């Protein structure tokens, strides 16, 4: 659930541009035959931000996500393994904790879990004294969900009264996205996490910000987008395009857990307007992405789309180094991504499904 938060620690500032920090949860659930499905949310048509768009659950941070009051409640397992030393964007490392408040790695995870609970009714928890993780029972979820929606700090009270801890240990760092500078309005600096649950817990919309919540196969969401039955924003289009590479729930669970300690790259798309009217979302590593230090095309100071004197057909010459999204259509990647990550698959590129480890660095 979106809410205004002007606390300076919840905002990323670069080159005079502000992004509101946010957390997103890609929650995978196992179905029959180890089928992979993701928890997807369709935003309300009345929403001021991204109406009728299908997204992963998530939202902006709240001060309560970093409260020192969480420390005695997060003792089921050690927190230290979550504080990675791998290369990561400033989303995680430029905001040191003040006093005894939680570090960013934990606060972002709590925000992702809280927002998922508010939007879908699903809250991943562990017994505070230790034990097997389990989603919050439906009856308790129905009782606590509206309270947390009204006041995020109520999640602390939920944890105390029910003797559970939000399962921050189940979330693995996956990616980080900045809204392009050329996009007006809301801009977000979003950390994406992946969590996998062996059974799909019940979920439901809140009829306020979400009009539909459902467990869906990545390929089905992409097919609906291609047919015009749903709308995806570029980060969701990109992430779903690479998540469809995983042929099973177990493959994604194993990959996300083993890859996370290697690090993540910040994705700052640069919007490029081509001469035939098509738009590209260029990503780091693409042959058309502005070179670092190029004052004529700095991605952090680009107030309008980058205009390129070429058509889409010319931009898609075979053999090129592509790491991009064709706005509203598809994502393409022919470069080797850093930190052992896998790139998006072409819709017909199903021969690699279930074997993303071939893209790994350091596996």
């Amino acid at each position: 659930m979106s809410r205004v938060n002007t606390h300076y620690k919840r905002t990323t500032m670069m080159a005079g541009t502000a992004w509101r920090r946010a957390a997103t949860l890609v929650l995978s659930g196992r179905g029959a035959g180890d089928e992979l499905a993701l928890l997807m949310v369709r935003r309300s048509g009345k929403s001021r931000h991204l109406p009728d768009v299908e997204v992963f659950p998530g939202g902006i941070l709240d001060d309560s996500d970093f409260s020192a009051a969480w420390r005695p409640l997060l003792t089921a397992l050690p927190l230290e393994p979550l504080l990675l030393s791998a290369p990561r964007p400033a989303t995680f490392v430029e905001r040191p904790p003040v006093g005894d408040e939680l570090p960013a790695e934990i606060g972002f995870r709590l925000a992702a879990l809280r927002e998922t609970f508010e939007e879908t009714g699903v809250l991943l928890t562990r017994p505070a004294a230790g034990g097997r993780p389990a989603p919050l029972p439906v009856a308790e979820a129905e009782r606590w969900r509206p309270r947390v929606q009204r006041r995020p700090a109520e999640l602390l009270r939920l944890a105390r009264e029910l003797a559970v801890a939000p399962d921050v240990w189940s979330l693995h760092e996956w990616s980080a996205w900045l809204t392009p500078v050329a996009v007006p309005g809301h801009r977000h600096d979003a950390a994406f996490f992946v969590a996998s649950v062996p059974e799909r817990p019940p979920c439901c919309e809140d009829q306020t910000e979400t009009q539909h919540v459902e467990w869906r196969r990545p390929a089905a969401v992409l097919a609906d987008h291609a047919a015009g039955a749903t709308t995806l924003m570029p980060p969701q289009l990109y992430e779903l395009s690479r998540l469809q590479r995983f042929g099973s729930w177990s493959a994604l669970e194993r990959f996300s857990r083993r890859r996370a300690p290697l690090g993540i790259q910040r994705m700052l798309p640069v919007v490029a307007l081509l001469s035939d009217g098509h738009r590209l979302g260029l990503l780091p590593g693409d042959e058309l992405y502005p070179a670092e230090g190029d004052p004529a095309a700095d991605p952090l100071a680009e107030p309008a789309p980058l205009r390129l004197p070429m058509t889409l057909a010319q931009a898609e010459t075979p053999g090129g180094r592509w790491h991009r999204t064709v706005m509203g259509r598809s994502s393409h990647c022919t470069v080797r991504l850093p930190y052992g990550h896998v790139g998006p698959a072409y819709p017909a590129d199903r021969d690699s499904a279930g074997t993303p480890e071939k893209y790994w660095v350091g596996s």
Side-chain angles (χ1 to χ4, degrees), residues 222-241:
L222 291 168
D224 280 353
H225 175 72
T230 193
T231 302
L232 299 171
M233 298 304 290
Q236 279 73 27
L237 177 60
Y238 181 98
E239 295 296 357
L240 285 163
S241 296

Side-chain angles (χ1 to χ4, degrees), residues 21-360:
R21 289 181 175 166
T24 295
L25 180 57
V26 179
L27 184 58
S28 73
R30 181 164 57 186
D34 203 27
E35 181 187 59
L36 168 66
L38 305 174
L39 187 60
M40 300 297 298
V41 169
R42 186 187 290 270
R43 294 181 58 82
S44 169
K46 299 178 181 179
S47 176
R48 290 179 298 174
H49 180 55
L50 303 181
D52 280 321
V53 170
E54 193 160 2
V55 297
F56 304 114
I60 65 171
L61 310 184
D62 186 85
D63 288 343
S64 65
D65 300 322
F66 297 85
S67 172
W70 279 111
R71 288 193 177 274
L73 301 172
L74 298 177
T75 57
L77 291 171
L79 295 176
E80 286 73 18
L82 304 180
L83 310 180
L84 303 177
S85 58
R88 289 175 301 151
T91 304
F92 292 102
V93 299
E94 73 181 6
R95 184 203 166 281
V98 176
D100 201 35
E101 71 175 7
L102 295 177
E105 293 91 338
I106 311 303
F108 272 88
R109 283 174 165 82
L110 283 168
L113 290 165
R114 174 182 54 75
E115 288 284 346
T116 299
F117 180 43
E118 293 182 25
E119 294 180 351
T120 71
V122 176
L123 179 62
L124 306 184
T125 64
R126 282 181 181 268
R132 298 183 62 181
L136 194 68
V138 172
E140 293 293 356
E142 291 176 348
R143 183 165 73 96
W144 283 96
R145 184 181 181 185
R147 296 170 64 175
V148 176
Q149 287 175 321
R150 289 191 298 269
R151 184 172 177 269
E154 284 292 296
L155 189 63
L156 270 163
R157 180 171 295 187
L158 178 158
R160 291 192 189 102
E161 291 192 13
L162 302 183
V164 297
D167 191 9
V168 295
W169 302 273
S170 69
L171 273 61
H172 305 295
E173 295 178 13
W174 181 258
S175 62
W177 287 83
L178 281 172
T179 306
V181 177
V183 175
H186 294 278
R187 295 192 185 99
H188 294 97
D189 179 3
F192 281 58
F193 298 91
V194 167
S196 301
V197 290
E199 297 180 0
R200 302 173 189 174
C203 57
C204 64
E205 57 279 351
D206 66 4
Q207 298 296 349
T208 301
E209 287 201 31
T210 60
Q211 59 177 302
H212 188 68
V213 177
E214 184 180 2
W215 292 97
R216 306 195 66 196
R217 294 182 299 108
V221 183
L222 291 168
D224 280 353
H225 175 72
T230 193
T231 302
L232 299 171
M233 298 304 290
Q236 279 73 27
L237 177 60
Y238 181 98
E239 295 296 357
L240 285 163
S241 296
R242 66 172 163 188
L243 288 162
Q244 75 169 339
R245 285 194 181 275
F246 296 88
S248 67
W249 176 90
S250 296
L252 176 58
E253 188 280 328
R254 180 173 58 252
F255 180 84
S256 61
R257 172 170 42 85
R258 294 173 57 192
R259 194 219 60 81
L262 301 179
I264 53 177
Q265 178 185 35
R266 171 178 270 166
M267 300 287 204
L268 173 55
V270 171
V271 179
L273 179 62
L274 305 184
S275 59
D276 57 1
H278 285 97
R279 288 174 179 252
L280 300 179
L282 303 174
L283 294 166
D286 191 282
E287 62 190 16
L288 299 176
Y289 195 79
E292 185 175 355
D294 181 356
D298 183 353
L300 287 175
E302 191 65 46
L306 185 66
R307 294 183 178 273
L308 298 177
M310 63 180 68
T311 65
L312 181 61
Q314 292 171 327
E316 293 186 335
T317 302
R321 293 193 334 273
W322 302 345
H323 190 203
R324 62 184 63 166
T325 294
V326 181
M327 294 298 192
R329 287 178 47 185
S330 56
S331 294
H332 308 285
C333 181
T334 63
V335 302
R336 191 181 183 97
L337 299 183
Y339 312 126
H341 230 316
V342 59
Y346 289 95
D349 187 15
R350 299 300 298 154
D351 60 324
S352 62
T355 58
E357 285 82 357
K358 75 177 184 179
Y359 294 89
W360 248 23

